[in-house]
Amino acid sequence: MKTRLVPFVLLAALCLVTAARATPPKGGPRFLGPKPPEKVKRVVTLAPSFTETVMALGAGSTLVGVSRFDEAKEVAGLPRVGGFIDPSVEAVVALEPDLVLVQPGPGNQRSVEKLAELGIPVLLLPLHTVADTLAALRAVGKALGKDKEADAIVQRIESTRVRIREASKTLESPRVLFVYGFTPLVVAGPGSFADELLRDAGARNVAADAGGAYPVYPVERAVGVSPDVVVDASDVDMGKDKLRTLLSEARWVEVPSMALLQPGPSLGRGLEELFRLLHPTVKPDAKPDAGTAR
């Protein structure tokens, strides 16, 4: 996988590790501060997945600011307003947005609440599960007046999941370790969208008994569960060689794009990619999901 965005994914996962030790947040999308105007013309996104969502809905022209992790060529010239855990309140306010899209986390709570106090409409969009992702797509679609477009994307993702599940029914179920980072070892655990997609693709997540969605997983435990496949979603080398030596009998694969790492409109394409990684000699009968491939 060739991308520089994975540090954002790992950072978000590590933040959620801390959050997971407390009571998991309840509820879906919700607004902080004033409601946005009926016609939203200026949008700031604090995560690449939201930028992708806005563009997939056909509302890319409303984007006026994005996170420093955004590398899509369509937003190359837009101002950067910080990152997932350290958004710049001053930079966001200066852009006078009608709406700010945020994935809530323990690191950005104070900044996000400050934006709302200053009269900036903020839409909080949890992205832990597939259901969260679909709800976020619909919520952004509604806020931007793009309900039909959002429904079409959701339906495409859901139909892809049905098709992949059907294709997986008669296949062997590989035991999989899905890795976000090696030092520490951060993996996809129960309650994560990657865990759901592994099951859709006919796999068994060896970290399904871990304590959270993005747990720091003991190396000795990873060795003990002896996965058949290790999905490397880290794009970093530190600590990889050690684990690769310890899990030398597993088949190692790398995710080919951000589709499996940014829960958003391309989630169906990510599931297609995961299916091909886990079952390289088998192809689903129908056409792959196009997602928002660039």
Side-chain angles (χ1 to χ4, degrees):
M1 179 180 59
K2 302 297 183 183
T3 175
R4 296 186 297 277
L5 293 181
V6 171
F8 161 75
V9 178
L10 180 55
L11 178 60
L14 287 171
C15 289
L16 290 171
V17 168
T18 302
R21 290 171 182 160
T23 302
K26 301 294 183 182
R30 64 187 180 95
F31 283 100
L32 285 184
K35 292 294 178 67
E38 185 175 343
K39 179 68 173 178
V40 172
K41 297 180 179 180
R42 299 178 64 82
V43 178
V44 170
T45 59
L46 296 186
S49 55
F50 297 140
T51 305
E52 180 189 22
T53 295
V54 174
M55 292 191 295
L57 291 171
S61 62
T62 66
L63 290 167
V64 295
V66 296
S67 79
R68 67 169 173 270
F69 298 103
D70 279 270
E71 293 191 350
K73 64 181 184 299
E74 295 90 339
V75 297
L78 291 182
R80 308 289 142 157
V81 296
F84 173 70
I85 63 170
D86 58 348
S88 169
V89 172
E90 294 78 8
V92 173
V93 171
L95 294 172
E96 300 181 345
D98 297 321
L99 181 64
V100 179
L101 303 180
V102 180
Q103 180 181 1
N108 64 24
Q109 182 176 348
R110 294 184 78 182
S111 298
V112 169
E113 290 176 349
K114 183 64 176 178
L115 288 171
E117 290 170 6
L118 292 172
I120 303 294
V122 176
L123 181 53
L124 299 178
L125 299 160
L127 294 176
H128 305 296
T129 66
V130 173
D132 286 341
T133 302
L134 301 185
L137 284 164
R138 286 196 166 104
V140 176
K142 183 176 182 179
L144 299 181
K146 297 286 186 178
D147 299 82
K148 291 182 179 179
E149 291 84 349
D151 285 342
I153 294 171
V154 168
Q155 289 172 16
R156 186 167 68 244
I157 292 172
E158 291 179 328
S159 66
T160 299
R161 295 186 74 195
V162 170
R163 174 165 48 83
I164 293 295
R165 287 180 195 142
E166 189 64 29
S168 302
K169 282 183 178 179
T170 60
L171 303 177
E172 292 187 7
S173 300
R175 304 174 70 255
V176 179
L177 184 70
F178 195 106
V179 179
Y180 289 109
F182 294 97
T183 307
L185 180 60
V186 178
V187 303
S192 66
F193 68 90
D195 176 66
E196 293 180 80
L197 296 184
L198 284 170
R199 283 184 270 121
D200 285 346
R204 289 176 288 168
N205 184 1
V206 295
D209 61 346
Y214 303 97
V216 174
Y217 206 63
V219 172
E220 59 272 18
R221 192 170 176 182
V223 174
V225 295
S226 187
D228 302 313
V229 181
V230 177
V231 177
D232 178 5
S234 70
D235 201 33
V236 295
D237 293 327
M238 186 178 298
K240 182 189 297 187
D241 289 343
K242 176 183 177 182
L243 188 64
R244 190 154 195 160
T245 298
L246 292 171
L247 297 177
S248 59
E249 295 186 6
R251 181 168 63 89
W252 284 64
V253 296
E254 294 185 1
V255 297
S257 77
M258 292 301 294
L260 268 172
L261 301 174
Q262 291 181 181
S266 59
L267 205 60
R269 178 163 56 88
L271 178 55
E272 290 274 2
E273 292 175 355
L274 182 62
F275 182 90
R276 289 192 288 269
L277 289 174
L278 301 181
H279 310 286
T281 63
V282 181
K283 294 182 180 180
D285 292 334
K287 293 180 180 179
D289 182 271
T292 55
R294 291 188 284 270

